[in-house]
Amino acid sequence: MVRARGVARRFGSQVALEPTDIEVHAGEALALIGPNGAGKSTLLALLAGALEPSAGTIERVDDVRVGWVPQRAAFYDRLTARENLELFGRLEGEPEHAAVAQQLLIRFDVPADRPTHTLSVGNRQRLNVALALLGSPHVLLLDEPTAALDPGQRRRLWETVTALRDEGGSVVFATQNLEEIELYANRVAVLQRGRLTFVGPTAEYRELHAEEIFT
Amino acid sequence: MRRSALVLRKDLRVLVRSPLLLGVLIAYPLLVAGLVGLVAGYGSSKPRVALVDEDHLPQLVAVGGHRFRIQDAIDEVGKNVHLVRMDPVEARHALATGRVVATLTVPPGFLADLKSGLHSPSLVYQVTRGGISSRVTQQVQALVYGLNRQLQTAYVRTDLRYVQLIVTGGRAEFGGRTYDVLGLARMQKLLQQLPPGPQRERIAEFARIAGVALAQTGSLLGATANPIGLERAHEHSRSSLLSAQVQSYALALTITFLALLLAAGAIASERDENAIGRLRRGLISMGELVSAKVALAAVVALALGLAIALVFGVIVEAGGVAGGEPWQRLPLLAVGLVVAGAALGALGTLLGALARETRTASLVAVLVVMPVVFLGLVPREVVPVAGWLSDGLPFAHAVRYFSASLYDASPWGALVRELVWLVGLGLAFGVLARLATRRLLA
């Protein structure tokens, strides 16, 4: 559904991601793992179209919609959660933006009418995830989405993610949590110092020593 | 376009929710405009001029029987120029070091020449180059004009005394000698005592005509000395505070400050709030995002500019100021506010995109506002470079547009010219801002 061909990204003289080829298939959940600064967030932002690659191309199947949950919340602090959802819903082309916003507010249990800068870290992350679901995406890109969520919210998030995958969509998630890989990923991609060092089924990854990868 | 409108609506909503920021953004430039007006109007209104009296003029000078108090003349010119008495050496040094902008020297023998009436004495004037020299020269010329007016009155009186002597006769001193002058009137009496005849009648007729003609001499001499007089009529005129120029500057300064800061802060905040990445995913193009920020500046400039014009107008009307507020010109002003706001917004967006962070963008915008404004305030004829630089920035064009739209009798030429400038500058800064948005994604 989404393919990166020789995609690389530099920030000034610093190489964040070396030329990388990776493909996201329909109906799969791909886990991106690696130590901090390995290039996971950069790759996800490139796949989402939030960053422009310094080299290479990102290809998408026609009409594929992509949802993106960045590691740092991406919405307007002076607006309420409802206003953020309605604004981005309209920009996504949601015909029923108000109704969809209301559904997501209920589903993720986010305070609707308070300015988002007054929300707790957990509530902000839930809104961050809810925003990614606007426009009914086929591919969901999540950057450590459960880091600030309580166990109940984590479960609800993974239910949503799994449902999307089961309906033929794709999920790519960056995580530091090995349990999440075991539970939800079909494939694993390992990034180290901006280089993709492993891509394969979760079972194949299991045979490697995770400790080695995270050092 | 629809997407730009959505982001614009969001920005306006955010702005309304920051009343303190909005208040400061409005109050600050108005305060600065007032201070600039005060500084421009009064701060340099009395340039220092050295007065060097090499002739040692007495306190009281008598010329042609008319007495002058030198200090009164100095006080008169002192309304516009601060005259400081100095000796020649001190004055030369002060002029060289810039402590005074000019020196006015009364050379030796000045008073003697003046009293003799045989030569016109001259005051010697030296002035620094550039700056306010032309203004000081005008003030000194006004001083000499004023002195000449007083001297002319004295000279005319003296001349009239001689004429009167010719008409009526009597004793007079001239060149240190005393004369007994017959006079036309006494001549006619003497003629009556001569035997009648055609010669006597011709002489008597001449004496009569000469007497009539000389009786007109007073008004003729007065008219010759001052062909054109200037009287100041006291009427209900517009004060300098409400002048077209001050209104134009206040409007332009306020929207410059607002538009630059708002646009710069708004584009940088998209990155600070991490929303730029979400938007870039095909939700809105960077061109549309720049358009939204430009539109934000234009909308706020329009609203605030009209509010300021309204307040000025109410004050003008309430004060019964001559000319009144040109309410029918407000649509023209509105067009200028939108276009100038957009051009300034494009410049602000460029600054914000280059600065990348909201705090840096705001600081950069504040730092840029002052030079932009002051370049527009420097008279082109004084510092041509400032004029050229100012042409490349929207402020001066906005001032000229506002002034023409509100008060020019035939504004169309100026309006079209300044609109073309503003649109051109807006497009140029807009294109640069669009290119600079790449930095927001880095």
Side-chain angles (χ1 to χ4, degrees):
Chain A
M1 297 182 90
V2 180
R3 177 189 287 166
R5 283 178 178 271
V7 163
R9 176 70 200 196
R10 286 173 172 273
F11 293 102
S13 60
Q14 188 184 350
V15 178
L17 188 69
E18 293 192 3
T20 301
D21 293 290
I22 194 164
E23 198 168 343
V24 181
H25 307 290
E28 77 165 353
L30 172 65
L32 271 182
I33 63 171
N36 290 333
K40 302 188 294 295
S41 296
T42 302
L43 179 57
L44 282 173
L46 287 164
L47 291 172
L51 262 185
E52 202 171 330
S54 306
T57 55
I58 302 290
E59 296 169 2
R60 288 183 189 174
V61 173
D62 285 348
D63 298 329
V64 154
R65 291 190 295 273
V66 176
W68 178 51
V69 181
Q71 193 172 22
R72 185 162 76 88
F75 47 77
Y76 298 110
D77 279 348
R78 289 272 172 185
L79 301 187
T80 65
R82 186 192 303 281
E83 287 166 345
N84 268 297
L85 284 165
E86 288 188 5
L87 169 65
F88 284 106
R90 292 175 81 164
L91 287 169
E92 291 275 7
E94 280 277 9
E96 302 291 332
H97 54 270
V100 169
Q102 181 61 25
Q103 286 168 13
L104 287 167
L105 286 167
I106 293 169
R107 186 164 152 195
F108 285 92
D109 192 22
V110 181
D113 297 315
R114 276 168 49 194
T116 53
H117 68 85
T118 65
L119 298 181
S120 67
V121 175
N123 280 331
R124 288 171 64 82
Q125 180 61 0
R126 273 180 267 164
L127 175 60
N128 199 27
V129 174
L131 284 164
L133 297 176
L134 289 166
S136 306
H138 302 111
V139 177
L140 201 52
L141 306 167
L142 305 109
D143 196 349
E144 302 193 22
T146 55
L149 298 183
D150 60 46
Q153 286 296 333
R154 283 185 193 192
R155 183 174 45 76
R156 241 174 290 176
L157 171 67
W158 286 118
E159 282 171 7
T160 303
V161 168
T162 309
L164 176 74
R165 187 195 62 191
D166 293 346
E167 287 165 12
S170 310
V171 178
V172 182
F173 63 96
T175 184
Q176 304 280 12
N177 188 330
L178 298 178
E179 187 187 0
E180 287 177 350
I181 300 168
E182 289 291 338
L183 287 173
Y184 305 111
N186 307 114
R187 281 202 306 153
V188 175
V190 179
L191 279 163
Q192 287 178 303
R193 295 196 183 102
R195 187 177 300 171
L196 192 63
T197 55
F198 173 86
V199 184
T202 308
E204 193 177 325
Y205 161 74
R206 204 178 294 128
E207 293 169 11
L208 299 171
H209 294 287
E211 290 79 11
E212 283 176 15
I213 292 167
F214 282 97
T215 53
Chain B
M1 199 62 195
R2 184 184 142 273
R3 293 167 173 180
S4 294
L6 286 171
V7 175
L8 168 62
R9 198 173 144 201
K10 180 268 296 181
D11 283 333
L12 288 172
R13 185 175 272 172
V14 168
L15 190 61
V16 169
R17 287 183 186 169
S18 313
L20 181 64
L21 173 70
L22 196 59
V24 170
L25 284 175
I26 294 168
Y28 183 82
L30 283 175
L31 179 69
V32 171
L35 290 173
V36 167
L38 283 174
V39 170
Y42 304 107
S44 60
S45 62
K46 283 195 176 188
R48 282 165 61 89
V49 174
L51 177 65
V52 182
D53 181 8
E54 293 184 328
D55 198 33
H56 306 293
L57 294 173
Q59 285 290 314
L60 205 61
V61 175
V63 177
H66 190 80
R67 291 170 185 275
F68 298 97
R69 287 184 60 80
I70 294 295
Q71 194 56 46
D72 288 351
I74 289 172
D75 289 345
E76 184 62 30
V77 77
K79 289 175 185 169
N80 299 314
V81 174
H82 187 50
L83 277 178
V84 186
R85 285 181 180 273
M86 292 184 185
D87 63 47
V89 176
E90 191 184 0
R92 265 199 304 277
H93 182 68
L95 187 66
T97 56
R99 279 178 50 230
V100 297
V101 293
T103 60
L104 187 64
T105 304
V106 183
F110 178 88
L111 189 57
D113 283 349
L114 196 64
K115 282 182 169 176
S116 76
L118 299 173
H119 307 286
S120 286
S122 292
L123 294 168
V124 181
Y125 172 61
Q126 275 184 294
V127 68
T128 51
R129 282 190 298 175
I132 56 171
S133 62
S134 59
R135 200 171 126 218
V136 176
T137 303
Q138 286 172 354
Q139 301 290 357
V140 173
Q141 284 171 338
L143 164 69
V144 174
Y145 170 79
L147 289 173
N148 277 336
R149 285 280 316 259
Q150 293 188 47
L151 286 167
Q152 280 159 3
T153 306
Y155 283 143
V156 166
R157 279 187 192 165
T158 307
D159 291 347
L160 280 176
R161 281 215 311 277
Y162 289 126
V163 170
Q164 194 62 26
L165 194 65
I166 294 169
V167 173
T168 58
R171 296 180 72 81
E173 277 188 28
F174 195 80
R177 294 180 61 185
T178 304
Y179 298 90
D180 183 25
V181 181
L182 175 63
L184 291 171
R186 284 160 64 188
M187 190 179 99
Q188 281 185 311
K189 285 180 184 172
L190 282 175
L191 280 173
Q192 296 300 323
Q193 296 167 19
L194 293 176
Q199 281 97 347
R200 192 193 80 170
E201 290 308 315
R202 283 196 67 189
I203 294 169
E205 179 65 6
F206 167 74
R208 191 182 63 78
I209 290 171
V212 170
L214 289 174
Q216 303 298 317
T217 305
S219 53
L220 284 171
L221 280 174
T224 307
N226 299 293
I228 298 173
L230 180 64
E231 285 183 27
R232 182 172 178 183
H234 291 277
E235 63 172 86
H236 209 67
S237 61
R238 189 176 286 263
S239 80
S240 60
L241 191 64
L242 298 171
S243 72
Q245 202 65 8
V246 169
Q247 281 200 49
S248 305
Y249 278 129
L251 277 171
L253 198 150
T254 306
I255 69 162
T256 298
F257 191 87
L258 263 178
L260 282 184
L261 249 78
L262 277 183
I267 193 82
S269 74
E270 297 289 352
R271 183 176 186 271
D272 277 0
E273 296 190 292
N274 205 26
I276 189 84
R278 199 183 284 289
L279 293 173
R280 196 193 169 276
R281 296 167 39 255
L283 301 191
I284 187 168
S285 71
M286 289 299 103
E288 286 173 314
L289 191 63
V290 169
S291 303
K293 305 309 172 190
V294 170
L296 171 70
V299 168
V300 175
L302 174 66
L304 191 67
L306 285 180
I308 291 172
L310 195 69
V311 170
F312 264 117
V314 168
I315 294 170
V316 165
E317 295 291 347
V321 173
E325 184 71 2
W327 297 112
Q328 71 281 6
R329 295 285 188 91
L330 283 192
L332 281 179
L333 179 70
V335 172
L337 286 167
V338 169
V339 179
L344 289 157
L347 176 58
T349 309
L350 171 62
L351 296 175
L354 291 172
R356 298 206 295 179
E357 293 166 353
T358 309
R359 276 184 294 186
T360 312
S362 303
L363 181 62
V364 168
V366 169
L367 292 174
V368 166
V369 162
M370 289 304 163
V372 166
V373 168
F374 284 115
L375 273 174
L377 292 174
V378 175
R380 179 185 295 270
E381 55 277 11
V382 176
V383 186
V385 177
W388 303 332
L389 290 173
S390 189
D391 275 344
L393 297 164
F395 175 78
H397 300 290
V399 170
R400 288 197 282 268
Y401 181 96
F402 297 151
S403 181
S405 68
L406 284 173
Y407 296 104
D408 276 11
S410 306
W412 297 111
L415 293 186
V416 170
R417 185 176 62 248
E418 301 308 336
L419 269 186
V420 169
W421 266 104
L422 287 168
V423 169
L425 289 172
L427 287 173
F429 287 129
V431 169
L432 291 173
R434 166 65 190 87
L435 293 173
T437 53
R438 294 174 68 90
R439 280 178 59 79
L440 295 173
L441 302 163

